Amino acid sequence: MPRCCFGSSPPPPLLSSFHGLAPPPPAAPLRRVAAVSAARAGPAMSGPHPSLEVLGGGRDLLLPALTTLDRPYSPFPVVGWNRHVETIFASFFRSLPEVRLRRECLRTSDGGAVALDWVSGDDRSVPPDSPVLILLPGLTGGSGDSYVRHMLLRARSKGWRVVVFNSRGCGDSPVTTPQFYSASFTGDLRQVVAHVGDRYPKANLYAVGWSLGANILVRYLGEESHTCPLSGAVSLCNPFNLVIADEDFRKGFNNIYDKALARSLREIFKKHLLLFEDMGGEYNITLATNAKTVKDFDEGLTRVSFGFKSANDYYANSSSSDTIKHVCKPLLCIQAANDPIAPARGIPREDIKENPNCLLIVTPKGGHLGWAAGAEAPLGAPWTDPVVMDFLDHLERRVSQPGASLSKDEDRKHDTENLHCLEV
């Protein structure tokens, strides 16, 4: 099945690890930043093209930066006309840019480990105050996925430092405890953000998440709220409401995706089965080992690991649609109306409309992680990449302008006491 979302990633070349230093400065509130720099902004576009749905409480402040949205969304012929064809085509046939990565493994507070993949040589060639972009791939994804690589190279070409956060077991990230990750668990991301901030204290931090990574990112933004150390973020193909996503995931052709993702989860799990052999209680190791669906795997393992009563309870209490109202940093959400895995009916439109920090773009086509449209279609970068980069560059220009930043929050705390580097 498709490489980009439905399987684990090949490991990048491994080099040395390194430790961080001090916390980054907090982001300036969006409203004050926009007010200070409004006079310097470029010419505003007339408005988004009618082919796009654009809404959000932050529309007036954020939309002017997205200058390409006045053009129609034009899916690539044939490939972009069917959501399943587009999803699968992008996964199998989208180009995979070459990039040499350097792996850093971090020991987490519970004894687990996650892997950070940095572009090799950037620690010497990129200035220490350059903005840092943290990338969160989708379920079972990692730094070897095509959509991740394209975004990485685009940001790097703009002078950004980029790091891919591979969750436990993904992208050949080591698994050292009997626990993987979940849609609601933000602890690892919190420690990663703190560690990256300590490493580059003069840099502003941003994040982009896809699919399940987007759900985790938005939950983190909502939980951290006004204390979030990120200066902005982007959510792509976010399932948002996991109950609705689960309902649609097991219908019709979507069963193909369900079985493929379950197979990827089984493969990751079997590599580390010895860690789970003696697990008792409600764990159903047999069900997880032989899971035919993602829900089987979640019922046998995930929901027990994170203290939920059932898989349904896990989905009901892990949706980022419940936390987006609390997001206090600039957030761009991009969804496809025909996404088979992240249903449009699950988008929390009302909460996004009421949140002055959020902007939502819904394209008429795109599938899941497809978006075969734009100048590089169908084999190059997805349509979303230039939009995402315009948004991030806009935020970075504003928070970096003299007079636009507020005094540093000396009370900001980092959960780094138990964060250590693990060399591999």
Side-chain angles (χ1 to χ4, degrees):
M1 282 304 294
R3 175 182 60 218
C4 76
C5 181
F6 311 124
S8 57
S9 310
L14 303 184
L15 299 178
S16 60
S17 337
F18 46 79
H19 295 272
L21 300 173
L30 177 61
R31 290 187 179 279
R32 179 166 176 180
V33 170
V36 170
S37 59
R40 302 184 185 180
M45 65 180 184
S46 57
H49 191 271
S51 61
L52 302 170
E53 178 188 359
V54 181
L55 59 88
R59 175 180 169 127
D60 292 343
L61 295 175
L62 298 173
L63 187 58
L66 309 181
T67 57
T68 61
L69 297 189
D70 58 350
R71 306 166 197 168
Y73 181 88
S74 301
F76 194 83
V78 182
V79 172
W81 293 347
N82 177 278
R83 61 181 184 167
H84 300 300
V85 171
E86 185 168 14
T87 299
I88 295 172
F89 180 91
S91 301
F92 276 119
F93 301 110
R94 175 166 284 146
S95 61
L96 182 65
E98 290 291 331
V99 58
R100 190 161 181 253
L101 300 172
R102 157 175 157 164
R103 173 153 291 189
E104 176 188 17
C105 291
L106 301 181
R107 181 77 72 180
T108 59
S109 58
D110 66 342
V114 299
L116 300 181
D117 288 335
W118 305 81
V119 178
S120 181
D122 275 4
D123 55 324
R124 298 183 300 273
S125 61
V126 178
D129 60 348
S130 295
V132 181
L133 182 60
I134 303 169
L135 303 181
L136 288 76
L139 180 64
T140 75
S143 57
D145 290 332
S146 60
Y147 63 93
V148 175
R149 292 282 185 93
H150 278 285
M151 188 71 252
L152 181 154
L153 289 184
R154 184 173 295 269
R156 190 166 177 259
S157 72
K158 298 282 189 176
W160 289 54
R161 189 186 312 277
V162 188
V163 57
V164 183
F165 167 29
N166 300 278
S167 293
R168 306 183 190 208
C170 297
D172 278 353
S173 178
V175 176
T176 57
T177 62
Q179 177 176 298
F180 287 117
Y181 66 105
S182 78
S184 62
F185 180 60
T186 58
D188 287 351
L189 175 58
R190 188 169 286 105
Q191 290 188 290
V192 166
V193 170
H195 175 73
V196 173
D198 287 345
R199 173 67 183 175
Y200 297 103
K202 296 181 180 180
N204 295 315
L205 308 184
Y206 302 83
V208 173
W210 292 266
S211 198
L212 190 74
N215 190 82
I216 294 170
L217 175 59
V218 174
R219 284 190 65 87
Y220 166 77
L221 291 168
E223 290 172 4
E224 293 293 297
S225 195
H226 66 279
T227 64
C228 181
L230 298 179
S231 295
V234 180
S235 162
L236 301 159
C237 289
N238 191 339
F240 280 117
N241 188 315
L242 300 188
V243 174
I244 291 176
D246 174 59
E247 291 173 358
D248 284 16
F249 203 41
R250 291 176 285 114
K251 294 178 181 177
F253 192 87
N254 282 6
N255 283 300
I256 301 296
Y257 306 132
D258 195 6
K259 291 178 181 177
L261 281 169
R263 181 170 62 249
S264 295
L265 288 168
R266 289 198 312 268
E267 290 172 356
I268 293 173
F269 182 56
K270 288 177 181 178
K271 291 179 183 178
H272 310 285
L273 189 57
L274 288 176
L275 288 171
F276 296 85
E277 266 193 341
D278 298 325
M279 301 298 289
E282 296 184 41
Y283 284 95
N284 189 332
I285 304 303
T286 301
L287 179 60
T289 305
N290 300 286
K292 303 298 183 185
T293 66
V294 172
K295 193 168 188 176
D296 285 346
F297 188 86
D298 289 339
E299 184 63 52
L301 186 72
T302 309
R303 67 93 180 171
V304 186
S305 295
F306 293 94
F308 296 101
K309 298 176 182 178
S310 64
N312 288 335
D313 180 48
Y314 162 48
Y315 299 149
N317 290 283
S318 301
S319 300
S320 58
S321 57
D322 296 333
T323 62
I324 198 167
K325 64 174 71 73
H326 303 302
V327 171
C328 290
K329 295 300 171 72
L331 172 65
L332 172 64
C333 303
I334 309 181
Q335 304 286 121
N338 68 344
D339 192 321
I341 295 174
R345 66 191 180 98
I347 300 172
R349 286 177 169 82
E350 292 306 313
D351 285 338
I352 291 174
K353 285 180 183 178
E354 294 175 7
N355 189 324
N357 303 290
C358 294
L359 179 67
L360 169 68
I361 301 170
V362 183
T363 58
K365 304 286 186 180
H368 190 71
L369 300 174
W371 281 304
E376 298 185 37
L379 300 178
W383 175 89
T384 50
D385 280 12
V387 179
V388 170
M389 211 61 237
D390 282 350
F391 176 78
L392 295 174
D393 276 338
H394 170 74
L395 296 182
E396 176 61 14
R397 285 194 302 270
R398 298 308 180 256
V399 300
S400 299
Q401 284 177 356
S405 59
L406 299 177
S407 59
K408 293 180 174 148
D409 181 4
E410 298 297 334
D411 295 326
R412 179 173 171 269
K413 296 180 180 179
H414 288 282
D415 182 18
T416 56
E417 290 182 2
N418 297 309
L419 188 59
H420 309 286
C421 283
L422 172 70
E423 294 206 12
V424 293

